[in-house]
Amino acid sequence: MASRNLSHVSEFILVGVSDRPELQVPLFFLFLVIYMLTASGNLGIITLTTVDPRLQTPMYFFLRHLAVINFGNSTVIAPKMLVNFLVSKKTTLYYECATQLGGFLVFIVAEIFMLAVMAYDRYVAICNPLLYMVVVSRRVCFLLVALTYFYGFCTAIVVSSCVFSVSYCSSKKINHFYCDNVPLLALSCSDTYLPETVVFISAATNLFFSMSIVLVSYFNIVLSILRIRSSEGRKKAFSTCASHMMAVTVFYGTLLFMYLQPQTNHSLDTDKMASVFYTLVIPMLNPMIYSLRNKDVKAALKRFMTNPCDSFKSL
């Protein structure tokens, strides 16, 4: 019985974004630029929120970890993807594939709940400003971030173990640019009911709970903003959460498009395009969203560019 669960495949072949030879080099340069912007933007956010004394608040603590997650997620995917654009043999070893899937799951689940944590942070800041530093204390911040990473790690262990518990026999061509759940299970030559169920329940549960936190938080935020009598006060309150609302809308909009589209329109190719967006494009956009609409971040960047030594002395 145990031999049925052993894979006969030592490596997989990644089809990539496109299998057309004439597109490989142009796509390489396109995604290289995207990855370089992602890396520089998120590392910039991490640096600024670490060294600038005016950005040592819970909001920027969570933003720093969102940048860590975005950088980690894109780094799990992009380097292997870029190499495969330039080589003829687009293979990935069995355990390399399992590691990539696990890393992707850690960061994507962590991002889902980090956005929920940031929504809760904005809820407390706007709805209970006098208690903000008590409710969202330094200890609570560390606890929320630690739980986010820990839950992402546990999810990755459970889901990737289920996916790689099935048999992979003769077919080994993954119709994707990285090792993901659905295209991997599509290759299996054994019963995939259990891993498919685990993947579905995990994805549905994570989306439901994180979106519930986000929606409840922003429902209360909107009510609080509407109660503010002065238009200047409403504008100031809205500006503190506008960037996060934009990031949440883009991220969850992509995931909902992927999971809620009609089954007749659903295909691995549409999954692939949605995956490009939330693994590579959104991590590139988030630093722009949070920096271009945030006066504190822009001011911190200006101070850092003017005199970086002073920033590091403040540590």
Side-chain angles (χ1 to χ4, degrees):
M1 292 291 290
S3 62
R4 291 185 182 179
N5 293 326
L6 296 176
S7 171
H8 300 293
V9 174
S10 60
E11 62 181 22
F12 295 99
I13 298 170
L14 290 165
V15 172
V17 177
S18 172
D19 56 1
R20 294 172 60 183
E22 69 274 15
L23 292 179
Q24 300 306 299
V25 173
L27 286 173
F28 167 80
F29 284 109
L30 172 64
F31 286 105
L32 178 62
V33 170
I34 289 175
Y35 180 61
M36 289 174 66
L37 290 172
T38 300
S40 58
N42 284 291
L43 290 174
I45 292 288
I46 293 167
T47 302
L48 287 177
T49 55
T50 301
V51 304
D52 195 286
R54 300 183 194 182
L55 301 183
Q56 304 306 307
T57 64
M59 181 175 79
Y60 294 110
F61 177 77
F62 296 134
L63 178 59
R64 182 191 314 155
H65 284 279
L66 179 64
V68 170
I69 290 166
N70 283 160
F71 176 67
N73 197 12
S74 59
T75 301
V76 165
I77 304 299
K80 182 68 176 178
M81 177 190 187
L82 291 170
V83 168
N84 283 345
F85 281 126
L86 302 179
V87 297
S88 56
K89 192 179 180 183
K90 306 176 190 297
T91 58
T92 180
L93 297 176
Y94 180 84
Y95 290 106
E96 184 184 6
C97 189
T99 302
Q100 187 182 50
L101 174 61
F104 163 72
L105 289 171
V106 168
F107 289 116
I108 197 69
V109 172
E111 182 168 6
I112 287 171
F113 283 97
M114 187 58 67
L115 289 172
V117 167
M118 292 174 76
Y120 172 72
D121 170 71
R122 292 299 82 207
Y123 157 73
V124 177
I126 292 173
C127 299
N128 296 289
L130 298 178
L131 297 175
Y132 178 62
M133 296 308 295
V134 176
V135 176
V136 192
S137 64
R138 189 176 181 85
R139 184 179 178 182
V140 169
C141 289
F142 278 110
L143 180 62
L144 289 173
V145 168
L147 286 174
T148 297
Y149 286 123
F150 180 72
Y151 181 72
F153 180 76
C154 291
T155 302
I157 293 293
V158 172
V159 174
S160 58
S161 297
C162 285
V163 171
F164 282 91
S165 68
V166 301
S167 295
Y168 295 98
C169 301
S170 57
S171 179
K172 57 181 182 179
K173 186 177 285 188
I174 302 173
N175 185 19
H176 218 302
F177 57 91
Y178 70 97
C179 295
D180 198 10
N181 298 316
V182 176
L184 275 167
L185 291 175
L187 298 181
S188 176
C189 56
S190 61
D191 183 25
T192 59
Y193 176 77
L194 178 60
E196 283 178 349
T197 303
V198 170
V199 168
F200 175 78
I201 291 174
S202 174
T205 303
N206 292 339
L207 277 174
F208 174 77
F209 281 109
S210 61
M211 285 191 68
S212 296
I213 294 169
V214 170
L215 290 174
V216 170
S217 296
Y218 275 106
F219 177 76
N220 285 286
I221 286 170
V222 170
L223 288 181
S224 294
I225 291 174
L226 292 176
R227 292 193 193 105
I228 299 173
R229 294 183 179 181
S230 68
S231 59
E232 187 65 30
R234 286 196 297 270
K235 184 179 178 182
K236 185 177 179 181
F238 181 77
S239 67
T240 64
C241 59
S243 297
H244 184 255
M245 287 178 68
M246 190 182 300
V248 163
T249 302
V250 173
F251 182 76
Y252 283 112
T254 304
L255 290 181
L256 290 175
F257 166 78
M258 183 172 173
Y259 286 106
L260 297 183
Q261 60 182 305
Q263 198 64 31
T264 53
N265 297 334
H266 194 89
S267 71
L268 289 177
D269 288 331
T270 56
D271 284 357
K272 201 188 299 185
M273 290 303 103
S275 297
V276 166
F277 210 74
Y278 65 73
T279 59
L280 298 169
V281 177
I282 290 177
M284 177 190 69
L285 292 177
N286 277 347
M288 299 179 189
I289 291 172
Y290 284 104
S291 60
L292 294 177
R293 295 186 58 87
N294 190 303
K295 293 179 181 178
D296 292 337
V297 173
K298 287 191 285 188
L301 179 61
K302 186 176 180 180
R303 287 192 296 271
F304 183 80
M305 296 298 289
T306 303
N307 199 338
C309 294
D310 283 353
S311 297
F312 284 104
K313 284 177 183 177
S314 66
L315 287 175

